[in-house]
Amino acid sequence: MSENKEDTLASFQNITGIDDVGEAFSHLEAADWNLMDALSRVMPHEDAPLASPHPIQQMEAPTRNPVESTNGFRPPGYDELPGTSNSSGFYAAALQNHNQNLNLNQPHLQQRFPTQLTSSINLDPASSQNNNQNVIAFNIHFNQQLYQIRLPSEATVEQLKRKIFDETSVPVCRQAIRGWPPSKASDAQQLGTRICNLDLAPENELILVDLTDDGFMDTEQDEVTQRVDKTFTILIQFETGSPLTLNLPGRTTMQELKMNVYDINSIPVRHQEWTGWPNGCTNETTLAQSGIELSHRFAVRSTARAPQTNSNQHNAFDVVTVDSESSADEFEDATDFNNAEYIFTDSPPAQPLNRHLIPNNTDDETSGSTQFVENYKARYGEPCPDFFVGSLESAKQLACLRSAKERKLLAIYLHHGKSILINVFCDQLMKHESIIQTFKEKFVLYGWDMTYESNKDMFLSSLTACISSNASMTARNIKLDKLPAIMLVGKSRQLGSNCEVLSVIHGDIGLDDLLTRLIETCEMFEEQLQVEIRQEDERAARDQVKAEQDMAYQETLQADMAKDAAKRQKEAAQLAERKRIESERAEENARRESIRLVAQQSLPQEPSEQEAGTSKIRVRKPTGDFLERRFFTNNNLQDLLNFVTANGFLIEEYKLISSWPRRDLTAIESSQTLEMLKLYPQETVILEER
C-alpha cells in the first residue's frame, strides 16, 4: 500500500471511528480510495431521513488500552499508537490532518456532513477520561451498519437490549447477540446480568441477529451448534501482497486458521498479529463460537523483524546475526535452508530422481501405501521393516480396535525426501535386526511420504479423521530437520475411547536411544493395558460362568421338557387304552344285551298255577338269590337256558347244575324236554360261573 493510501486509511478511520482495518479497507476500495466518497457511504445525508438513528451517530475518540487484550490480538500499528498521556496531542493532530485533507469549509461538504464531523469527536482527554471511567462502549454490527452504544458498567443486559431496540427497532425478545466472551456466553443470556460481570473490554464488538428475519434458534449455544457445519468465508488483508480468501467450516479453531495462514503466506504463528476478532476469543475458539458473520474480514501483519546480515560476504555466504532477545525458535520456521544442495551454483540442476517414495497427487491412501512400500524396498533394500499396506484406517483397526490382549501400538513412520537424516535413519537404524523384530512383535508399522504437499495434506486429513486433530497437528508441526519421525499411537481406557499419540521419535536419534524409546513406550502402554486385560479376564470369567449356568439351565429345561413329553405320551396311551377298553366293554355289553333280548323273545308263555302238566323251576344265583318260573313239562331244556340268559346270565359264562343227580345241564342236549330230564313237577338248579 502506498504512503498516500496509508494516510487516507488513517484519516478515514479517525473520522468514522471504524477500528476494523478490514471494514475500513473495504469502504475505501469500494470508493476507489476517494476519501469523500467513502465517507459519504457511512455518514448520514441531510436530505435522507432515516426510520431510526444512523448507525454512526456518536463518535468519540477511541480509547486505547496500553496493554494487550486477553485474546492475544492487537490492531495494526499498535506499537506506534500513543499512550493515554499524550492522547490529546494525537487526536488534535488527527483532527488538524482531517481538516486539511477534507477542507471542511467547502459548502458542499458542509451540506453532506453537517456539524457532526467536527462536533462528534471529543478532543478533550480529561473529559474523555472522566466520561469513560465507568462506561463500556459497544459497537453493534447489524445489517451492514454500525451502531455505537455506551452504557454504565452497572447496566444490565436487558438495558443494553432495550438500547439496541431504540437504535435498531429489533424487539428485545427477537435479539440474538454474538461476540460475548465464550466463558460468559451463558451469563449473557440472562437479562438481569450486569455487563460489568461479563469480562468485557472498554470497547466491544458485538453482532446483532434479528431472529424474526433469520429464523435463528433462541439461545446462543443452539446458534453455535447450528453454525458449526456452515462454511465461513474469511477474507484476510495483509500489509503487502494480495488479499487471501479462505472457505472454512465453522468448527475450525483460530489456531488452525493461523496455521493455514502460515502454510500459505509463511508468516509464523507467533509473528501473526490479527485485527478483527471479537473480544474474548482464544486460540481454541472456533469460528462458530467467535460470533463473526459467515463472511468476515481480517487484517494480519507480521511482527517479525527482518534478519540482519553482515556486510562482508565470504564465498557467497551471508552471515546471519541474531540479537540477544531472539532464540533458536525464531529460525524453526525457516525450513529447507540447510537443504539447499545447489546453493553455490548459478542455476541449480534438476532434482535427483526418486527423492520421494510416493508420487505427487496420489489417488488414495491404499495406492500410496503400496507405492511407499515398493519404493522403500527398492531404495533401501533388505532387511526391511514389515510395513502395513492399505489405508490408515485399516492399520488402526488392526492395531487398536482389538481386545486388550491382542492390541498393539500403531507406529506411523513419516518420511521426507528432502531431509538430510533419511539415509542414516533408513540405512542403519531401520535395518537393524532388533528394531525390525521390535516393530514386528509390538507394532503395526505404517509408512507415508510427506515430501509433496498434496500427499501431506491427504495424510493429515486422514490423521484427523482416523486418530484425532491433535495427532494431525503434531505431525504438521514436525520440522523438516526432525524428519523422518515415528509417531506411536495407542488406545486404552486410560487414554479414553479414542486413539492418542503416546510418543513422537524424531530422526536425529541413535540406535540405542531409538530402541529404548520403543521399548519404554511399549512397557508404558502394556502397563496401561493391564487394568483393561484384568477387566477383560474378569468379564470373560463372568461370561463363562454365565454360559455354564445357561447350559445347565438348558439341560435341565430339556430334561423337564422330555419328562413332560413322556408323561403326556403315557397319559395319552392310558387314555387310548381306557377308550379301547370302554369301547370293547360297550361292544360287549351291546352283544350281551342283544343275546339277552333274543333269549327273552324266545321264551314260551308261562303257564298258570291251575294248569296241569307244569313244572316249577327255581334257579339259585351266585349271590344266593333265586329266580323262579313255571314251564310246561313238554318245554325243552333250551327254554330253561333262555330264561337264565334273559335274566343276564349268559350260558357261555355260567353253568347250570342240577342238584340230584348232579349234572351240568348246559353240557347235555338242549332239545330234551323237562319231563325227559326229570325236572318236574318242581326242581332247583344252581348257576355257577365257568
Side-chain angles (χ1 to χ4, degrees):
M1 182 185 300
S2 65
E3 183 177 358
N4 185 29
K5 287 188 176 182
E6 291 179 356
D7 294 339
T8 304
L9 176 61
S11 299
F12 180 81
Q13 287 186 281
N14 286 327
I15 294 174
T16 61
I18 297 177
D19 291 336
D20 191 331
V21 175
E23 182 180 353
F25 193 89
S26 64
H27 287 303
L28 288 170
E29 281 285 342
D32 197 20
W33 289 90
N34 187 307
L35 182 58
M36 291 182 292
D37 290 345
L39 290 172
S40 67
R41 290 170 55 87
V42 297
M43 304 297 289
H45 292 269
E46 193 174 50
D47 56 351
L50 299 176
S52 61
H54 192 276
I56 303 178
Q57 292 183 358
Q58 190 177 3
M59 297 185 297
E60 297 183 5
T63 59
R64 301 292 182 180
N65 192 343
V67 296
E68 187 172 323
S69 61
T70 57
N71 60 12
F73 300 98
R74 301 185 297 178
Y78 179 89
D79 297 331
E80 293 77 24
L81 290 176
T84 56
S85 60
N86 59 353
S87 59
S88 175
F90 172 75
Y91 290 117
L95 178 61
Q96 182 179 1
N97 186 36
H98 306 333
N99 293 336
Q100 291 175 358
N101 291 337
L102 291 177
N103 192 6
L104 293 176
N105 295 325
Q106 298 180 18
H108 66 281
L109 285 179
Q110 291 179 354
Q111 283 185 349
R112 297 180 64 183
F113 307 100
T115 57
Q116 185 176 5
L117 276 176
T118 56
S119 63
S120 62
I121 299 178
N122 186 359
L123 299 179
D124 185 359
S127 175
S128 175
Q129 184 176 358
N130 293 334
N131 292 336
N132 293 333
Q133 184 176 4
N134 293 315
V135 173
I136 298 179
F138 297 93
N139 295 329
I140 308 297
H141 298 265
F142 178 63
N143 285 346
Q144 305 298 324
Q145 294 178 343
L146 178 67
Y147 298 84
Q148 292 186 338
I149 297 176
R150 300 165 62 83
L151 290 175
S153 59
E154 294 301 318
T156 63
V157 174
E158 182 180 9
Q159 291 172 326
L160 172 61
K161 289 193 172 185
R162 291 188 181 278
K163 188 66 175 176
I164 293 175
F165 169 70
D166 294 339
E167 300 290 336
T168 63
S169 300
V170 177
V172 173
C173 63
R174 303 308 299 168
Q175 294 178 16
I177 300 178
R178 306 175 189 158
W180 299 111
S183 61
K184 298 293 183 179
S186 59
D187 295 338
Q189 305 306 315
Q190 306 297 326
L191 295 178
T193 303
R194 296 185 181 274
I195 59 177
C196 61
N197 297 329
L198 296 179
D199 297 341
L200 297 173
E203 185 173 355
N204 304 272
E205 303 290 334
L206 298 179
I207 299 173
L208 173 65
V209 176
D210 186 353
L211 299 180
T212 305
D213 297 334
D214 295 344
F216 282 83
M217 305 180 76
D218 290 337
T219 64
E220 186 164 331
Q221 184 62 35
D222 293 335
E223 194 175 329
V224 170
T225 303
Q226 191 180 45
R227 283 157 47 91
V228 164
D229 296 325
K230 292 188 177 181
T231 301
F232 286 72
T233 301
I234 306 300
L235 178 62
I236 304 175
Q237 179 66 45
F238 300 96
E239 291 179 304
T240 59
S242 302
L244 173 64
T245 301
L246 298 175
N247 293 319
L248 301 172
R251 60 175 57 88
T252 303
T253 63
M254 290 168 57
Q255 179 68 23
E256 293 171 345
L257 176 57
K258 293 179 182 180
M259 291 302 302
N260 286 330
V261 172
Y262 165 66
D263 292 339
I264 297 173
N265 278 39
S266 300
I267 301 177
V269 173
R270 61 181 176 275
H271 292 155
Q272 296 176 17
E273 188 174 274
W274 290 70
T275 301
W277 287 107
N279 293 321
C281 294
T282 65
N283 284 333
E284 286 72 30
T285 303
T286 63
L287 298 179
Q289 293 172 337
S290 66
I292 64 174
E293 295 287 354
L294 295 180
S295 179
H296 194 75
R297 290 175 178 269
F298 292 105
V300 177
R301 75 181 184 96
S302 174
T303 62
R305 287 169 293 194
Q308 301 176 358
T309 60
N310 193 341
S311 59
N312 298 324
Q313 295 183 349
H314 303 280
N315 298 329
F317 283 100
D318 289 336
V319 180
V320 180
T321 61
V322 183
D323 60 7
S324 59
E325 297 179 357
S326 300
S327 64
D329 292 338
E330 295 291 336
F331 297 96
E332 288 182 357
D333 296 301
T335 59
D336 294 344
F337 177 78
N338 294 326
N339 298 312
E341 300 179 1
Y342 309 101
I343 191 171
F344 298 96
T345 61
D346 294 334
S347 57
Q351 293 288 338
L353 296 177
N354 296 330
R355 297 191 64 178
H356 57 270
L357 298 181
I358 301 178
N360 193 15
N361 295 318
T362 188
D363 296 333
D364 55 73
E365 289 182 36
T366 302
S367 61
S369 174
T370 303
Q371 292 172 325
F372 175 88
V373 175
E374 293 176 354
N375 292 332
Y376 186 96
K377 291 181 179 179
R379 174 83 58 82
Y380 302 107
E382 297 290 347
C384 174
D386 186 14
F387 288 99
F388 177 85
V389 178
S391 65
L392 180 62
E393 176 65 25
S394 299
K396 185 192 78 170
Q397 292 180 358
L398 180 62
C400 303
L401 304 185
R402 307 173 72 179
S403 65
K405 290 183 178 180
E406 299 176 345
R407 197 174 304 162
K408 292 184 177 182
L409 287 171
L410 174 61
I412 303 176
Y413 169 72
L414 302 178
H415 186 89
H416 200 294
K418 295 182 180 180
S419 173
I420 61 176
L421 302 175
I422 56 173
N423 291 330
V424 175
F425 193 87
C426 296
D427 278 333
Q428 298 182 16
L429 275 64
M430 296 292 281
K431 283 189 174 183
H432 196 275
E433 182 179 357
S434 300
I435 300 297
I436 295 176
Q437 191 65 23
T438 301
F439 278 131
K440 183 177 181 180
E441 294 177 356
K442 303 291 186 180
F443 298 87
V444 172
L445 182 60
Y446 188 83
W448 193 262
D449 185 5
M450 310 274 281
T451 304
Y452 289 118
E453 287 297 324
S454 61
N455 297 337
K456 177 181 177 181
D457 293 341
M458 174 192 294
F459 186 70
L460 292 179
S461 299
S462 180
L463 267 180
T464 301
C466 297
I467 309 299
S468 66
S469 58
N470 290 334
S472 177
M473 187 68 67
T474 300
R476 181 190 295 274
N477 290 336
I478 300 176
K479 304 301 180 183
L480 179 61
D481 56 358
K482 298 294 184 180
L483 291 172
I486 300 176
M487 294 175 56
L488 304 181
V489 178
K491 176 181 178 294
S492 69
R493 291 190 176 179
Q494 295 185 8
L495 299 175
S497 58
N498 297 324
C499 297
E500 294 293 341
V501 177
L502 303 180
S503 179
V504 179
I505 303 176
H506 295 137
D508 53 349
I509 193 173
L511 175 61
D512 294 339
D513 292 338
L514 173 60
L515 186 59
T516 300
R517 290 282 299 277
L518 292 176
I519 294 176
E520 287 178 349
T521 306
C522 287
E523 291 176 350
M524 177 190 68
F525 181 67
E526 289 173 356
E527 288 178 2
Q528 295 175 349
L529 287 181
Q530 288 305 314
V531 175
E532 195 170 346
I533 292 175
R534 183 169 61 254
Q535 292 176 349
E536 285 188 356
D537 291 341
E538 293 174 355
R539 183 166 56 254
R542 292 194 299 268
D543 293 342
Q544 179 65 26
V545 172
K546 185 176 181 299
E548 292 175 355
Q549 293 175 345
D550 292 342
M551 183 179 297
Y553 170 77
Q554 291 296 331
E555 291 177 353
T556 303
L557 183 62
Q558 293 295 333
D560 292 342
M561 293 174 62
K563 289 181 180 179
D564 292 342
K567 182 179 179 180
R568 289 193 298 271
Q569 184 177 2
K570 181 178 180 180
E571 291 176 351
Q574 292 176 349
L575 179 61
E577 180 66 16
R578 285 196 300 270
K579 288 182 177 181
R580 184 188 65 80
I581 294 174
E582 290 176 357
S583 176
E584 291 178 353
R585 183 181 294 114
E587 293 178 357
E588 179 65 17
N589 291 337
R591 185 183 66 83
R592 291 168 61 87
E593 182 66 15
S594 176
I595 294 174
R596 189 190 69 79
L597 291 175
V598 171
Q600 186 176 3
Q601 294 174 358
S602 301
L603 286 176
Q605 184 177 1
E606 182 179 9
S608 63
E609 292 181 359
Q610 292 79 17
E611 292 187 38
T614 61
S615 175
K616 184 178 180 181
I617 304 297
R618 299 182 67 194
V619 180
R620 190 176 71 181
K621 297 186 292 186
T623 60
D625 298 333
F626 288 92
L627 297 174
E628 291 184 1
R629 193 182 189 281
R630 290 183 296 278
F631 296 91
F632 288 103
T633 56
N634 58 357
N635 290 138
N636 54 29
L637 179 60
Q638 185 62 46
D639 294 332
L640 177 60
L641 296 179
N642 288 340
F643 170 70
V644 173
T645 301
N647 284 276
F649 299 95
L650 302 183
I651 299 304
E652 61 188 30
E653 297 176 357
Y654 292 91
K655 296 184 295 182
L656 190 63
I657 306 297
S658 61
S659 58
W660 183 259
R662 182 179 175 82
R663 54 185 175 180
D664 183 4
L665 298 178
T666 59
I668 62 179
E669 181 63 34
S670 60
S671 60
Q672 300 182 47
T673 63
L674 298 179
E675 184 179 2
M676 294 174 61
L677 295 175
K678 306 297 182 181
L679 297 177
Y680 70 94
Q682 62 182 14
E683 184 67 26
T684 299
V685 293
I686 302 171
L687 279 175
E688 292 182 359
E689 292 184 1
R690 291 184 182 276

